[in-house]
DNA sequence: TTCACTGCAAATGATTTGCAAAGCA
DNA sequence: TGCTTTGCAAATCATTTGCAGTGAA
């Protein structure tokens, strides 16, 4: 679990005021271990916790947190964006039948990596193992 | 390059009639080596080649070809779906500044793969290296 | 003839945007 | 006070869908 004062610091560093909405969403995101959320999931959580936030603000906040380095966007589903509270490099399982996104246990090693095209540098490396039900 | 009669066979096997539109789109897709297309790119190519196809048919065709195993959908961009004419396992470079998708040269080896959750089986493994401009 | 296929236009659904009101420094 | 931030509603945009007309077997 990420220390919460650190979250506030990172907001400050990013020039983001620690508003009621941002703090409440940060708590939902970071207070209970790693999470993978969509905007709709987070809005729903906020609603359940009696936090008044508009969906537009949820979207804004997710993107601001991502830019500030608090979240990482994971592109796995063409219809929805997922945000991961774990920002270090790691792989994902995506359960295609439940739309559930899950972190890997161990860390994957990539060997025989091709040469990076001239003039480009690696931004991130995504490793996604898509799973379907065995039956 | 994929032999074209094979494409027609695969359509037949999938129960898809080789209509004018499907054959024309198949030619655009498979006649000139590996490609990575979005629906809009393919519609634009068709237009340039004076092929009359509606955008809805382009979408239908891309999905039908994917289900028939002629294409592979690559999820890299939250705003657009890409389809790859190479259906064997391989990794991708995604140029974030140009939205260009490119196949890897060599083949990547994944080691230290985690255990697959009980009751699930691997559908596909996606390896995407996101690139940004060095400057 | 029959059923699959196509094209059009409308519907959908996630995300973004404009802008006035409210909040933080 | 002055600049952010929020919330609402409208706008956007890729994609899907309904359905009447067209085409292949």
């Amino acid at each position: 679990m990420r220390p919460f004062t650190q979250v506030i610091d990172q907001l400050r560093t990013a020039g983001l005021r620690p508003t009621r909405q941002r703090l409440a969403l940060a708590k939902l995101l970071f207070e209970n271990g790693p999470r993978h959320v969509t905007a709709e999931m987070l809005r729903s959580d906020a609603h359940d916790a009696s936090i008044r936030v508009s969906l537009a603000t949820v979207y804004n906040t997710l993107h601001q947190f991502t830019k500030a380095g608090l979240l990482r966007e994971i592109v796995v589903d063409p219809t929805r964006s997922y945000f991961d509270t774990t920002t270090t490099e790691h792989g994902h399982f995506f359960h295609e039948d439940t739309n559930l996104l899950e972190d890997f246990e161990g860390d994957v090693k990539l060997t025989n990596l091709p040469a990076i095209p001239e003039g480009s540098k690696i931004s991130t490396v995504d490793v996604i193992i898509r799973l379907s039900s065995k039956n």
Side-chain angles (χ1 to χ4, degrees), chain A residues 2 10-11 13-16 22 29-30 58-73 83-84 87:
Chain A
R2 192 189 308 242
Q10 284 187 264
L11 290 185
T13 304
L16 296 173
R22 292 208 266 240
L29 287 169
F30 302 117
V58 171
Y59 275 105
N60 285 336
T61 303
L62 285 172
H63 287 133
Q64 289 155 353
F65 281 15
T66 300
K67 196 182 293 181
L70 292 166
L71 294 175
R72 188 141 135 51
E73 185 173 2
F83 294 86
D84 189 345
T87 55

PDB file of all heavy atoms in Angstrom, chain A residues 2 10-11 13-16 22 29-30 58-73 83-84 87, chain C residues 16-17, chain D residues 5:
ATOM      1  N   ARG A   2       0.475   2.200  -0.804  1.00  0.00           N
ATOM      2  CA  ARG A   2       1.259   3.408  -0.968  1.00  0.00           C
ATOM      3  C   ARG A   2       0.966   4.375   0.189  1.00  0.00           C
ATOM      4  O   ARG A   2      -0.199   4.599   0.516  1.00  0.00           O
ATOM      5  CB  ARG A   2       0.817   4.035  -2.293  1.00  0.00           C
ATOM      6  CG  ARG A   2       1.687   5.151  -2.800  1.00  0.00           C
ATOM      7  CD  ARG A   2       1.010   5.804  -3.976  1.00  0.00           C
ATOM      8  NE  ARG A   2       0.594   4.833  -5.010  1.00  0.00           N
ATOM      9  CZ  ARG A   2       1.045   4.823  -6.237  1.00  0.00           C
ATOM     10  NH1 ARG A   2       1.916   5.707  -6.619  1.00  0.00           N
ATOM     11  NH2 ARG A   2       0.604   3.941  -7.103  1.00  0.00           N
ATOM     12  N   GLN A  10       2.819  13.969  -4.421  1.00  0.00           N
ATOM     13  CA  GLN A  10       2.916  13.824  -5.872  1.00  0.00           C
ATOM     14  C   GLN A  10       1.904  14.705  -6.587  1.00  0.00           C
ATOM     15  O   GLN A  10       2.150  15.189  -7.680  1.00  0.00           O
ATOM     16  CB  GLN A  10       2.760  12.351  -6.270  1.00  0.00           C
ATOM     17  CG  GLN A  10       4.028  11.555  -5.964  1.00  0.00           C
ATOM     18  CD  GLN A  10       3.956  10.138  -6.507  1.00  0.00           C
ATOM     19  OE1 GLN A  10       3.599   9.232  -5.777  1.00  0.00           O
ATOM     20  NE2 GLN A  10       4.267   9.957  -7.774  1.00  0.00           N
ATOM     21  N   LEU A  11       0.750  14.893  -5.956  1.00  0.00           N
ATOM     22  CA  LEU A  11      -0.221  15.817  -6.536  1.00  0.00           C
ATOM     23  C   LEU A  11       0.366  17.219  -6.552  1.00  0.00           C
ATOM     24  O   LEU A  11       0.322  17.920  -7.564  1.00  0.00           O
ATOM     25  CB  LEU A  11      -1.526  15.806  -5.730  1.00  0.00           C
ATOM     26  CG  LEU A  11      -2.395  14.552  -5.817  1.00  0.00           C
ATOM     27  CD1 LEU A  11      -3.694  14.764  -5.064  1.00  0.00           C
ATOM     28  CD2 LEU A  11      -2.690  14.233  -7.275  1.00  0.00           C
ATOM     29  N   THR A  13       3.469  18.179  -6.475  1.00  0.00           N
ATOM     30  CA  THR A  13       4.555  18.246  -7.449  1.00  0.00           C
ATOM     31  C   THR A  13       4.015  18.412  -8.862  1.00  0.00           C
ATOM     32  O   THR A  13       4.583  19.120  -9.684  1.00  0.00           O
ATOM     33  CB  THR A  13       5.422  16.974  -7.386  1.00  0.00           C
ATOM     34  OG1 THR A  13       5.892  16.815  -6.042  1.00  0.00           O
ATOM     35  CG2 THR A  13       6.592  17.068  -8.339  1.00  0.00           C
ATOM     36  N   ALA A  14       2.878  17.758  -9.108  1.00  0.00           N
ATOM     37  CA  ALA A  14       2.290  17.839 -10.444  1.00  0.00           C
ATOM     38  C   ALA A  14       1.465  19.107 -10.617  1.00  0.00           C
ATOM     39  O   ALA A  14       0.845  19.319 -11.649  1.00  0.00           O
ATOM     40  CB  ALA A  14       1.435  16.614 -10.705  1.00  0.00           C
ATOM     41  N   GLY A  15       1.449  19.955  -9.584  1.00  0.00           N
ATOM     42  CA  GLY A  15       0.684  21.198  -9.678  1.00  0.00           C
ATOM     43  C   GLY A  15      -0.804  20.985  -9.544  1.00  0.00           C
ATOM     44  O   GLY A  15      -1.605  21.786 -10.018  1.00  0.00           O
ATOM     45  N   LEU A  16      -1.182  19.890  -8.891  1.00  0.00           N
ATOM     46  CA  LEU A  16      -2.605  19.582  -8.723  1.00  0.00           C
ATOM     47  C   LEU A  16      -3.027  19.852  -7.278  1.00  0.00           C
ATOM     48  O   LEU A  16      -2.443  19.312  -6.344  1.00  0.00           O
ATOM     49  CB  LEU A  16      -2.878  18.109  -9.060  1.00  0.00           C
ATOM     50  CG  LEU A  16      -2.616  17.674 -10.494  1.00  0.00           C
ATOM     51  CD1 LEU A  16      -2.755  16.163 -10.625  1.00  0.00           C
ATOM     52  CD2 LEU A  16      -3.574  18.374 -11.446  1.00  0.00           C
ATOM     53  N   ARG A  22     -10.360  14.838  -5.530  1.00  0.00           N
ATOM     54  CA  ARG A  22      -9.119  14.127  -5.849  1.00  0.00           C
ATOM     55  C   ARG A  22      -8.643  13.285  -4.670  1.00  0.00           C
ATOM     56  O   ARG A  22      -8.183  12.152  -4.851  1.00  0.00           O
ATOM     57  CB  ARG A  22      -8.055  15.133  -6.294  1.00  0.00           C
ATOM     58  CG  ARG A  22      -8.433  15.764  -7.642  1.00  0.00           C
ATOM     59  CD  ARG A  22      -7.252  16.204  -8.474  1.00  0.00           C
ATOM     60  NE  ARG A  22      -6.910  17.604  -8.278  1.00  0.00           N
ATOM     61  CZ  ARG A  22      -6.901  18.525  -9.247  1.00  0.00           C
ATOM     62  NH1 ARG A  22      -7.255  18.217 -10.474  1.00  0.00           N
ATOM     63  NH2 ARG A  22      -6.557  19.756  -8.987  1.00  0.00           N
ATOM     64  N   LEU A  29      -8.506   4.593  -4.653  1.00  0.00           N
ATOM     65  CA  LEU A  29      -7.545   3.924  -5.533  1.00  0.00           C
ATOM     66  C   LEU A  29      -6.399   3.286  -4.775  1.00  0.00           C
ATOM     67  O   LEU A  29      -5.997   2.161  -5.084  1.00  0.00           O
ATOM     68  CB  LEU A  29      -6.976   4.940  -6.541  1.00  0.00           C
ATOM     69  CG  LEU A  29      -7.901   5.407  -7.658  1.00  0.00           C
ATOM     70  CD1 LEU A  29      -7.303   6.594  -8.390  1.00  0.00           C
ATOM     71  CD2 LEU A  29      -8.161   4.257  -8.625  1.00  0.00           C
ATOM     72  N   PHE A  30      -5.859   3.989  -3.781  1.00  0.00           N
ATOM     73  CA  PHE A  30      -4.570   3.563  -3.223  1.00  0.00           C
ATOM     74  C   PHE A  30      -4.628   2.970  -1.828  1.00  0.00           C
ATOM     75  O   PHE A  30      -3.640   2.445  -1.343  1.00  0.00           O
ATOM     76  CB  PHE A  30      -3.596   4.749  -3.231  1.00  0.00           C
ATOM     77  CG  PHE A  30      -3.375   5.319  -4.594  1.00  0.00           C
ATOM     78  CD1 PHE A  30      -3.738   6.626  -4.882  1.00  0.00           C
ATOM     79  CD2 PHE A  30      -2.831   4.544  -5.610  1.00  0.00           C
ATOM     80  CE1 PHE A  30      -3.552   7.150  -6.147  1.00  0.00           C
ATOM     81  CE2 PHE A  30      -2.640   5.065  -6.875  1.00  0.00           C
ATOM     82  CZ  PHE A  30      -2.999   6.374  -7.146  1.00  0.00           C
ATOM     83  N   VAL A  58     -14.178  12.185 -12.708  1.00  0.00           N
ATOM     84  CA  VAL A  58     -13.494  10.893 -12.603  1.00  0.00           C
ATOM     85  C   VAL A  58     -12.532  10.732 -13.782  1.00  0.00           C
ATOM     86  O   VAL A  58     -11.363  10.389 -13.605  1.00  0.00           O
ATOM     87  CB  VAL A  58     -14.500   9.728 -12.565  1.00  0.00           C
ATOM     88  CG1 VAL A  58     -13.773   8.396 -12.679  1.00  0.00           C
ATOM     89  CG2 VAL A  58     -15.321   9.769 -11.283  1.00  0.00           C
ATOM     90  N   TYR A  59     -13.020  11.028 -14.975  1.00  0.00           N
ATOM     91  CA  TYR A  59     -12.148  10.937 -16.155  1.00  0.00           C
ATOM     92  C   TYR A  59     -10.963  11.898 -16.035  1.00  0.00           C
ATOM     93  O   TYR A  59      -9.811  11.517 -16.271  1.00  0.00           O
ATOM     94  CB  TYR A  59     -12.939  11.253 -17.427  1.00  0.00           C
ATOM     95  CG  TYR A  59     -13.654  10.054 -17.989  1.00  0.00           C
ATOM     96  CD1 TYR A  59     -15.030   9.918 -17.842  1.00  0.00           C
ATOM     97  CD2 TYR A  59     -12.962   9.054 -18.657  1.00  0.00           C
ATOM     98  CE1 TYR A  59     -15.699   8.808 -18.354  1.00  0.00           C
ATOM     99  CE2 TYR A  59     -13.623   7.948 -19.176  1.00  0.00           C
ATOM    100  CZ  TYR A  59     -14.985   7.836 -19.026  1.00  0.00           C
ATOM    101  OH  TYR A  59     -15.627   6.741 -19.532  1.00  0.00           O
ATOM    102  N   ASN A  60     -11.267  13.145 -15.687  1.00  0.00           N
ATOM    103  CA  ASN A  60     -10.175  14.113 -15.544  1.00  0.00           C
ATOM    104  C   ASN A  60      -9.144  13.617 -14.543  1.00  0.00           C
ATOM    105  O   ASN A  60      -7.936  13.644 -14.815  1.00  0.00           O
ATOM    106  CB  ASN A  60     -10.731  15.463 -15.057  1.00  0.00           C
ATOM    107  CG  ASN A  60     -11.449  16.205 -16.152  1.00  0.00           C
ATOM    108  OD1 ASN A  60     -11.192  15.985 -17.341  1.00  0.00           O
ATOM    109  ND2 ASN A  60     -12.368  17.083 -15.780  1.00  0.00           N
ATOM    110  N   THR A  61      -9.627  13.164 -13.404  1.00  0.00           N
ATOM    111  CA  THR A  61      -8.737  12.735 -12.335  1.00  0.00           C
ATOM    112  C   THR A  61      -7.882  11.552 -12.758  1.00  0.00           C
ATOM    113  O   THR A  61      -6.667  11.539 -12.520  1.00  0.00           O
ATOM    114  CB  THR A  61      -9.557  12.372 -11.087  1.00  0.00           C
ATOM    115  OG1 THR A  61     -10.341  13.518 -10.716  1.00  0.00           O
ATOM    116  CG2 THR A  61      -8.660  11.972  -9.931  1.00  0.00           C
ATOM    117  N   LEU A  62      -8.485  10.581 -13.407  1.00  0.00           N
ATOM    118  CA  LEU A  62      -7.712   9.417 -13.860  1.00  0.00           C
ATOM    119  C   LEU A  62      -6.573   9.860 -14.785  1.00  0.00           C
ATOM    120  O   LEU A  62      -5.450   9.386 -14.669  1.00  0.00           O
ATOM    121  CB  LEU A  62      -8.629   8.414 -14.573  1.00  0.00           C
ATOM    122  CG  LEU A  62      -9.542   7.598 -13.656  1.00  0.00           C
ATOM    123  CD1 LEU A  62     -10.546   6.794 -14.463  1.00  0.00           C
ATOM    124  CD2 LEU A  62      -8.723   6.664 -12.760  1.00  0.00           C
ATOM    125  N   HIS A  63      -6.879  10.772 -15.689  1.00  0.00           N
ATOM    126  CA  HIS A  63      -5.833  11.211 -16.612  1.00  0.00           C
ATOM    127  C   HIS A  63      -4.789  12.077 -15.931  1.00  0.00           C
ATOM    128  O   HIS A  63      -3.596  11.986 -16.235  1.00  0.00           O
ATOM    129  CB  HIS A  63      -6.467  11.931 -17.803  1.00  0.00           C
ATOM    130  CG  HIS A  63      -7.156  10.984 -18.728  1.00  0.00           C
ATOM    131  ND1 HIS A  63      -8.432  11.202 -19.219  1.00  0.00           N
ATOM    132  CD2 HIS A  63      -6.768   9.787 -19.227  1.00  0.00           C
ATOM    133  CE1 HIS A  63      -8.771  10.175 -19.984  1.00  0.00           C
ATOM    134  NE2 HIS A  63      -7.797   9.307 -20.005  1.00  0.00           N
ATOM    135  N   GLN A  64      -5.238  12.930 -14.996  1.00  0.00           N
ATOM    136  CA  GLN A  64      -4.271  13.756 -14.280  1.00  0.00           C
ATOM    137  C   GLN A  64      -3.347  12.887 -13.431  1.00  0.00           C
ATOM    138  O   GLN A  64      -2.136  13.109 -13.391  1.00  0.00           O
ATOM    139  CB  GLN A  64      -5.012  14.770 -13.393  1.00  0.00           C
ATOM    140  CG  GLN A  64      -5.705  15.861 -14.179  1.00  0.00           C
ATOM    141  CD  GLN A  64      -6.878  16.455 -13.425  1.00  0.00           C
ATOM    142  OE1 GLN A  64      -7.276  15.978 -12.360  1.00  0.00           O
ATOM    143  NE2 GLN A  64      -7.458  17.516 -13.972  1.00  0.00           N
ATOM    144  N   PHE A  65      -3.908  11.892 -12.758  1.00  0.00           N
ATOM    145  CA  PHE A  65      -3.100  10.974 -11.947  1.00  0.00           C
ATOM    146  C   PHE A  65      -2.123  10.209 -12.823  1.00  0.00           C
ATOM    147  O   PHE A  65      -0.986   9.960 -12.443  1.00  0.00           O
ATOM    148  CB  PHE A  65      -4.004   9.993 -11.187  1.00  0.00           C
ATOM    149  CG  PHE A  65      -4.646  10.572  -9.953  1.00  0.00           C
ATOM    150  CD1 PHE A  65      -4.677  11.948  -9.731  1.00  0.00           C
ATOM    151  CD2 PHE A  65      -5.239   9.745  -8.997  1.00  0.00           C
ATOM    152  CE1 PHE A  65      -5.281  12.485  -8.597  1.00  0.00           C
ATOM    153  CE2 PHE A  65      -5.833  10.269  -7.856  1.00  0.00           C
ATOM    154  CZ  PHE A  65      -5.856  11.648  -7.659  1.00  0.00           C
ATOM    155  N   THR A  66      -2.582   9.830 -13.996  1.00  0.00           N
ATOM    156  CA  THR A  66      -1.706   9.103 -14.913  1.00  0.00           C
ATOM    157  C   THR A  66      -0.534   9.984 -15.329  1.00  0.00           C
ATOM    158  O   THR A  66       0.621   9.571 -15.314  1.00  0.00           O
ATOM    159  CB  THR A  66      -2.487   8.641 -16.150  1.00  0.00           C
ATOM    160  OG1 THR A  66      -3.544   7.784 -15.731  1.00  0.00           O
ATOM    161  CG2 THR A  66      -1.576   7.885 -17.115  1.00  0.00           C
ATOM    162  N   LYS A  67      -0.852  11.222 -15.673  1.00  0.00           N
ATOM    163  CA  LYS A  67       0.216  12.132 -16.081  1.00  0.00           C
ATOM    164  C   LYS A  67       1.180  12.403 -14.918  1.00  0.00           C
ATOM    165  O   LYS A  67       2.384  12.562 -15.110  1.00  0.00           O
ATOM    166  CB  LYS A  67      -0.374  13.451 -16.599  1.00  0.00           C
ATOM    167  CG  LYS A  67       0.620  14.271 -17.383  1.00  0.00           C
ATOM    168  CD  LYS A  67       0.048  15.602 -17.847  1.00  0.00           C
ATOM    169  CE  LYS A  67      -1.063  15.438 -18.875  1.00  0.00           C
ATOM    170  NZ  LYS A  67      -1.589  16.751 -19.330  1.00  0.00           N
ATOM    171  N   ALA A  68       0.644  12.405 -13.706  1.00  0.00           N
ATOM    172  CA  ALA A  68       1.472  12.663 -12.524  1.00  0.00           C
ATOM    173  C   ALA A  68       2.275  11.434 -12.111  1.00  0.00           C
ATOM    174  O   ALA A  68       3.072  11.495 -11.182  1.00  0.00           O
ATOM    175  CB  ALA A  68       0.596  13.128 -11.367  1.00  0.00           C
ATOM    176  N   GLY A  69       2.039  10.312 -12.767  1.00  0.00           N
ATOM    177  CA  GLY A  69       2.806   9.112 -12.454  1.00  0.00           C
ATOM    178  C   GLY A  69       2.213   8.259 -11.347  1.00  0.00           C
ATOM    179  O   GLY A  69       2.843   7.319 -10.871  1.00  0.00           O
ATOM    180  N   LEU A  70       1.003   8.579 -10.924  1.00  0.00           N
ATOM    181  CA  LEU A  70       0.362   7.790  -9.867  1.00  0.00           C
ATOM    182  C   LEU A  70      -0.343   6.571 -10.428  1.00  0.00           C
ATOM    183  O   LEU A  70      -0.576   5.587  -9.730  1.00  0.00           O
ATOM    184  CB  LEU A  70      -0.664   8.650  -9.115  1.00  0.00           C
ATOM    185  CG  LEU A  70      -0.106   9.802  -8.272  1.00  0.00           C
ATOM    186  CD1 LEU A  70      -1.225  10.753  -7.867  1.00  0.00           C
ATOM    187  CD2 LEU A  70       0.596   9.242  -7.048  1.00  0.00           C
ATOM    188  N   LEU A  71      -0.713   6.641 -11.692  1.00  0.00           N
ATOM    189  CA  LEU A  71      -1.417   5.532 -12.336  1.00  0.00           C
ATOM    190  C   LEU A  71      -0.733   5.211 -13.660  1.00  0.00           C
ATOM    191  O   LEU A  71       0.046   5.999 -14.188  1.00  0.00           O
ATOM    192  CB  LEU A  71      -2.882   5.902 -12.619  1.00  0.00           C
ATOM    193  CG  LEU A  71      -3.817   6.143 -11.442  1.00  0.00           C
ATOM    194  CD1 LEU A  71      -5.178   6.611 -11.945  1.00  0.00           C
ATOM    195  CD2 LEU A  71      -3.961   4.858 -10.626  1.00  0.00           C
ATOM    196  N   ARG A  72      -1.106   4.066 -14.201  1.00  0.00           N
ATOM    197  CA  ARG A  72      -0.596   3.643 -15.496  1.00  0.00           C
ATOM    198  C   ARG A  72      -1.801   3.153 -16.276  1.00  0.00           C
ATOM    199  O   ARG A  72      -2.608   2.380 -15.762  1.00  0.00           O
ATOM    200  CB  ARG A  72       0.388   2.492 -15.256  1.00  0.00           C
ATOM    201  CG  ARG A  72       1.157   2.033 -16.422  1.00  0.00           C
ATOM    202  CD  ARG A  72       2.587   1.712 -15.931  1.00  0.00           C
ATOM    203  NE  ARG A  72       3.156   0.463 -16.404  1.00  0.00           N
ATOM    204  CZ  ARG A  72       3.206   0.069 -17.674  1.00  0.00           C
ATOM    205  NH1 ARG A  72       2.624   0.790 -18.615  1.00  0.00           N
ATOM    206  NH2 ARG A  72       3.788  -1.053 -18.003  1.00  0.00           N
ATOM    207  N   GLU A  73      -1.945   3.637 -17.492  1.00  0.00           N
ATOM    208  CA  GLU A  73      -3.076   3.201 -18.304  1.00  0.00           C
ATOM    209  C   GLU A  73      -2.713   1.900 -19.005  1.00  0.00           C
ATOM    210  O   GLU A  73      -1.631   1.777 -19.578  1.00  0.00           O
ATOM    211  CB  GLU A  73      -3.440   4.278 -19.337  1.00  0.00           C
ATOM    212  CG  GLU A  73      -4.680   3.918 -20.118  1.00  0.00           C
ATOM    213  CD  GLU A  73      -5.146   5.048 -21.030  1.00  0.00           C
ATOM    214  OE1 GLU A  73      -4.483   6.103 -21.077  1.00  0.00           O
ATOM    215  OE2 GLU A  73      -6.177   4.870 -21.707  1.00  0.00           O
ATOM    216  N   PHE A  83      -7.061   1.542 -15.664  1.00  0.00           N
ATOM    217  CA  PHE A  83      -5.962   2.233 -15.000  1.00  0.00           C
ATOM    218  C   PHE A  83      -5.470   1.376 -13.852  1.00  0.00           C
ATOM    219  O   PHE A  83      -6.257   0.852 -13.072  1.00  0.00           O
ATOM    220  CB  PHE A  83      -6.435   3.606 -14.505  1.00  0.00           C
ATOM    221  CG  PHE A  83      -6.791   4.537 -15.626  1.00  0.00           C
ATOM    222  CD1 PHE A  83      -8.066   4.515 -16.188  1.00  0.00           C
ATOM    223  CD2 PHE A  83      -5.860   5.427 -16.142  1.00  0.00           C
ATOM    224  CE1 PHE A  83      -8.400   5.358 -17.242  1.00  0.00           C
ATOM    225  CE2 PHE A  83      -6.189   6.270 -17.195  1.00  0.00           C
ATOM    226  CZ  PHE A  83      -7.459   6.238 -17.745  1.00  0.00           C
ATOM    227  N   ASP A  84      -4.148   1.268 -13.764  1.00  0.00           N
ATOM    228  CA  ASP A  84      -3.501   0.368 -12.823  1.00  0.00           C
ATOM    229  C   ASP A  84      -2.794   1.190 -11.757  1.00  0.00           C
ATOM    230  O   ASP A  84      -2.045   2.107 -12.063  1.00  0.00           O
ATOM    231  CB  ASP A  84      -2.482  -0.487 -13.603  1.00  0.00           C
ATOM    232  CG  ASP A  84      -1.906  -1.606 -12.762  1.00  0.00           C
ATOM    233  OD1 ASP A  84      -2.054  -1.577 -11.530  1.00  0.00           O
ATOM    234  OD2 ASP A  84      -1.292  -2.515 -13.360  1.00  0.00           O
ATOM    235  N   THR A  87       2.573   1.113 -10.836  1.00  0.00           N
ATOM    236  CA  THR A  87       3.137   1.837 -11.979  1.00  0.00           C
ATOM    237  C   THR A  87       4.470   1.276 -12.450  1.00  0.00           C
ATOM    238  O   THR A  87       4.997   1.722 -13.456  1.00  0.00           O
ATOM    239  CB  THR A  87       3.311   3.334 -11.642  1.00  0.00           C
ATOM    240  OG1 THR A  87       4.095   3.432 -10.453  1.00  0.00           O
ATOM    241  CG2 THR A  87       1.971   3.991 -11.412  1.00  0.00           C
TER     242      THR A  87
ATOM    243  P    DT C  16     -10.945  10.982 -22.836  1.00  0.00           P
ATOM    244  OP1  DT C  16      -9.605  10.986 -23.438  1.00  0.00           O
ATOM    245  OP2  DT C  16     -11.129  10.991 -21.374  1.00  0.00           O
ATOM    246  O5'  DT C  16     -11.764  12.205 -23.455  1.00  0.00           O
ATOM    247  C5'  DT C  16     -11.977  12.233 -24.841  1.00  0.00           C
ATOM    248  C4'  DT C  16     -12.587  13.572 -25.240  1.00  0.00           C
ATOM    249  O4'  DT C  16     -13.980  13.621 -24.853  1.00  0.00           O
ATOM    250  C3'  DT C  16     -11.926  14.792 -24.602  1.00  0.00           C
ATOM    251  O3'  DT C  16     -11.764  15.734 -25.642  1.00  0.00           O
ATOM    252  C2'  DT C  16     -12.933  15.240 -23.537  1.00  0.00           C
ATOM    253  C1'  DT C  16     -14.255  14.810 -24.156  1.00  0.00           C
ATOM    254  N1   DT C  16     -15.370  14.464 -23.239  1.00  0.00           N
ATOM    255  C2   DT C  16     -16.617  15.007 -23.473  1.00  0.00           C
ATOM    256  O2   DT C  16     -16.842  15.784 -24.379  1.00  0.00           O
ATOM    257  N3   DT C  16     -17.598  14.596 -22.602  1.00  0.00           N
ATOM    258  C4   DT C  16     -17.455  13.721 -21.550  1.00  0.00           C
ATOM    259  O4   DT C  16     -18.419  13.439 -20.846  1.00  0.00           O
ATOM    260  C5   DT C  16     -16.125  13.192 -21.350  1.00  0.00           C
ATOM    261  C7   DT C  16     -15.875  12.251 -20.242  1.00  0.00           C
ATOM    262  C6   DT C  16     -15.152  13.586 -22.196  1.00  0.00           C
ATOM    263  P    DT C  17     -10.995  17.116 -25.391  1.00  0.00           P
ATOM    264  OP1  DT C  17     -10.146  17.305 -26.571  1.00  0.00           O
ATOM    265  OP2  DT C  17     -10.430  17.150 -24.033  1.00  0.00           O
ATOM    266  O5'  DT C  17     -12.190  18.189 -25.440  1.00  0.00           O
ATOM    267  C5'  DT C  17     -13.326  17.929 -26.230  1.00  0.00           C
ATOM    268  C4'  DT C  17     -14.321  19.076 -26.079  1.00  0.00           C
ATOM    269  O4'  DT C  17     -15.379  18.674 -25.187  1.00  0.00           O
ATOM    270  C3'  DT C  17     -13.735  20.365 -25.495  1.00  0.00           C
ATOM    271  O3'  DT C  17     -14.335  21.465 -26.156  1.00  0.00           O
ATOM    272  C2'  DT C  17     -14.133  20.292 -24.030  1.00  0.00           C
ATOM    273  C1'  DT C  17     -15.481  19.590 -24.120  1.00  0.00           C
ATOM    274  N1   DT C  17     -15.891  18.791 -22.933  1.00  0.00           N
ATOM    275  C2   DT C  17     -17.225  18.745 -22.590  1.00  0.00           C
ATOM    276  O2   DT C  17     -18.096  19.341 -23.198  1.00  0.00           O
ATOM    277  N3   DT C  17     -17.512  17.969 -21.500  1.00  0.00           N
ATOM    278  C4   DT C  17     -16.615  17.265 -20.733  1.00  0.00           C
ATOM    279  O4   DT C  17     -17.003  16.596 -19.783  1.00  0.00           O
ATOM    280  C5   DT C  17     -15.231  17.357 -21.142  1.00  0.00           C
ATOM    281  C7   DT C  17     -14.193  16.629 -20.372  1.00  0.00           C
ATOM    282  C6   DT C  17     -14.939  18.105 -22.212  1.00  0.00           C
TER     283       DT C  17
ATOM    284  P    DT D   5      -6.128  22.567 -10.677  1.00  0.00           P
ATOM    285  OP1  DT D   5      -5.391  21.823  -9.644  1.00  0.00           O
ATOM    286  OP2  DT D   5      -5.833  22.367 -12.106  1.00  0.00           O
ATOM    287  O5'  DT D   5      -7.687  22.307 -10.451  1.00  0.00           O
ATOM    288  C5'  DT D   5      -8.199  22.503  -9.153  1.00  0.00           C
ATOM    289  C4'  DT D   5      -9.684  22.227  -9.127  1.00  0.00           C
ATOM    290  O4'  DT D   5     -10.399  23.327  -9.732  1.00  0.00           O
ATOM    291  C3'  DT D   5     -10.130  20.966  -9.868  1.00  0.00           C
ATOM    292  O3'  DT D   5     -10.853  20.178  -8.942  1.00  0.00           O
ATOM    293  C2'  DT D   5     -11.009  21.480 -11.003  1.00  0.00           C
ATOM    294  C1'  DT D   5     -11.501  22.803 -10.435  1.00  0.00           C
ATOM    295  N1   DT D   5     -11.890  23.848 -11.420  1.00  0.00           N
ATOM    296  C2   DT D   5     -13.126  24.476 -11.283  1.00  0.00           C
ATOM    297  O2   DT D   5     -13.924  24.197 -10.405  1.00  0.00           O
ATOM    298  N3   DT D   5     -13.392  25.445 -12.218  1.00  0.00           N
ATOM    299  C4   DT D   5     -12.558  25.839 -13.252  1.00  0.00           C
ATOM    300  O4   DT D   5     -12.912  26.734 -14.022  1.00  0.00           O
ATOM    301  C5   DT D   5     -11.289  25.144 -13.333  1.00  0.00           C
ATOM    302  C7   DT D   5     -10.323  25.496 -14.414  1.00  0.00           C
ATOM    303  C6   DT D   5     -11.015  24.189 -12.416  1.00  0.00           C
TER     304       DT D   5
END
